[in-house]
Amino acid sequence: MTGRRWRDGRGTLVVPARGPAGTDVRVPLEIAASYRARTRGLLGRDAVDGALLLSPAGSVHTFRMRMPIDVAYLDRRLTVLAVRTMPPGRLGLPRVRSRHVLEAAAGVMAGWGVRPGTRVAVEVIPS
């Protein structure tokens, strides 16, 4: 889903398979689209079940977080621009062209195949 605004809720992050024999990786996704949900983000949590999509967002911080996180910056077509691991207490630099940010537990995005150039998809679960 591109070109439209999401609402707070749940969905699935779909990372396309690499290679002809692979299967897509499907990850539980929490969508934070309202100002309040984006501001709260992962603050106060000890773990992440899947990933959190902040939209719209061009940068993030990890002040007051309890754990390091992987951060993927996405453009408006959901193509990954950059992936960084951020420890608590850091301010991420804004990314030019970034419209959405994915957050997950540190180290998991590489295993999912989330890397620069990958185009992911979001399937929204109707509320």
Side-chain angles (χ1 to χ4, degrees):
M1 174 187 306
T2 60
R4 76 175 273 238
R5 295 185 63 116
W6 288 292
R7 293 178 183 225
D8 295 345
R10 299 226 167 256
T12 303
L13 174 70
V14 181
V15 183
R18 293 178 54 115
T23 59
D24 294 345
V25 175
R26 302 178 65 80
V27 178
L29 183 68
E30 181 180 339
I31 301 167
S34 69
Y35 175 78
R36 184 174 182 185
R38 289 191 320 268
T39 302
R40 185 177 55 243
L42 296 176
L43 295 177
R45 299 190 198 185
D46 292 321
V48 185
D49 178 26
L52 173 67
L53 175 69
L54 304 171
S55 178
S59 66
V60 295
H61 68 82
T62 57
F63 298 118
R64 297 181 23 225
M65 285 202 176
R66 299 178 181 172
M67 61 190 167
I69 59 171
D70 279 352
V71 177
Y73 298 89
L74 311 175
D75 69 10
R76 65 181 72 241
R77 296 181 66 218
L78 302 181
T79 300
V80 179
L81 302 171
V83 180
R84 300 285 181 263
T85 299
M86 294 177 61
R90 298 286 197 265
L91 178 62
L93 296 174
R95 301 285 173 191
V96 177
R97 298 185 6 236
S98 177
R99 297 294 178 264
H100 318 281
V101 174
L102 273 175
E103 297 180 343
V108 300
M109 287 192 188
W112 295 342
V114 175
R115 55 185 53 87
T118 301
R119 188 169 178 191
V120 299
V122 172
E123 296 175 354
V124 176
I125 297 172
S127 53

